[in-house]
Amino acid sequence: MESIRSDESSAPERIPYKTNGNQSRNVPVVETNSFAFQPLLVCLRFFGIELVPSSSTIESSSKSERYKTFTLGFIFLVLNGFCNVYATLMSGTGIIEEFNTMLNSSSTDGTNSTIKISTVLSWNIIIDYANFGALTVIAHATLLSLSQQSKWKSLWNNIQRMHQEFKVIRKTMRHLTIIGLVLVFSETIAIVSFAVDFFQLKPGTEGFLPTLFPHVLHLCAMVFNIYSGCGLLLFALVGWTALLGLRCLQQQAATSSSRTLTANETVTTLAKWKSLHVLLSDVVDGMNECFGPILLIWIIHIFVGFIATPYYIINSFYSSVSTGRSLLPTSVYLMIQHTFHLLIITGIPNAITQQAIAFGKQLQQIEFHDLNHFQEQVNMLATEVLIALPRITAMEYGDLELSLIPTMIGTTITYLVILCQFDV
């Protein structure tokens, strides 16, 4: 017998959902202003990122606004790249020179020899700046190009359909959006405050403004980290939407298994489950297509951070001067931040997979004693759900799941030992 997922005759016709334009009678509409992600959309629009896809029916004034927003985002992207390149080439080496100056001023051996921080620590500082810069620029470029791509438009429509089908998740997603934005802004402020601690605004021979200008570029590079945070937040919100959708499907299956359904109700229910499962699968596929570059650069960023920050912490305990110990608060904070981000990147995909398994097992528990035909169909749907489990990857370089954490920890320890050996 043909699988219920491929049997399009019993599936309900998909209804288009409009985000703008004239509303048609008897057609469900998801207004953009009431969309659960609206706080994030407004925030990114302020930074030159328009996530609402364009439409053929869009008015000329709206097209002009979209063009202005895209132009602003492109200018910010160029400024983002310039500031981060400058911070890597100039600010990183500047902090190394400042540390060397502090180290020599704290030396009390009475000799005229010049003392410098280790080469390993110097390279770690420079690589850290390059690591943060690459994350920010690539995440910014990916977000800027999203609304121009057809795959994002498809994912956007599927997300809106899910919010229409599962109305109970709207309030939860809006709360998560607001909490996520607060965390993103808090992390950005923390990074900027740590950067300010290294500044010494002393007027040089060229005057105060020439001395201040490099620090302004450095601060801008740190502020632009908000793009990487918003990119990760967008991924987390879409992933949590899929997770809650699967949870609603499991609850519906549990409710249906506890009561007797008529033949007509069974046909409608099975067709609805099939359609929603396909919709959820499309959302996961869209996440892989749209967020691949962001997820890959985030994994690389966290991996490099897991190597660099523990080395800073170890170095601060063995340092005899305040130079190394000054990195301790920042290093501890960054280590906690990297761990939190890694749990988001791996935890949400893992939770989606586990929820799909729970939904498939719930389907297996449904029994139709007098309707063998429907029993075969629901068994086929359960089998397909359990076989075709959703998987989220970083551009197909590996599945993102909790098993990635011990692998990353083991590799990190190996590289950390090598760094410490070179330092010795």
Side-chain angles (χ1 to χ4, degrees), residues 281-409:
S281 299
D282 290 342
V283 169
V284 174
D285 292 340
M287 291 174 64
N288 285 318
E289 294 176 353
C290 295
F291 297 108
I294 292 180
L295 295 176
L296 181 60
I297 191 60
W298 262 107
I299 289 295
I300 296 174
H301 170 79
I302 293 173
F303 177 70
V304 175
F306 269 10
I307 297 174
T309 49
Y311 172 77
Y312 293 147
I313 296 174
I314 294 175
N315 180 269
S316 65
F317 283 110
Y318 287 96
S319 178
S320 58
V321 294
S322 61
T323 305
R325 290 194 294 271
S326 62
L327 287 174
L328 182 58
T330 306
S331 301
V332 172
Y333 170 79
L334 289 178
M335 194 65 191
I336 296 174
Q337 188 184 66
H338 291 324
T339 304
F340 175 67
H341 292 158
L342 182 61
L343 289 175
I344 292 177
I345 295 176
T346 58
I348 292 179
N350 187 82
I352 292 175
T353 302
Q354 296 301 318
Q355 192 62 54
I357 294 175
F359 173 53
K361 291 182 177 179
Q362 188 65 56
L363 288 175
Q364 290 178 333
Q365 298 178 9
I366 298 178
E367 296 183 359
F368 297 100
H369 300 288
D370 301 327
L371 302 172
N372 295 331
H373 172 70
F374 296 130
Q375 186 66 55
E376 292 179 3
Q377 287 188 336
V378 75
N379 289 341
M380 285 184 178
L381 178 58
T383 301
E384 187 166 353
V385 170
L386 293 175
I387 291 178
L389 292 175
R391 51 188 292 267
I392 299 177
T393 66
M395 297 188 69
E396 298 296 334
Y397 284 103
D399 292 349
L400 298 179
E401 51 189 15
L402 291 178
S403 60
L404 180 65
I405 296 179
T407 302
M408 186 173 290
I409 292 176

Side-chain angles (χ1 to χ4, degrees), residues 96 160 382:
I96 293 174
Q160 288 188 305

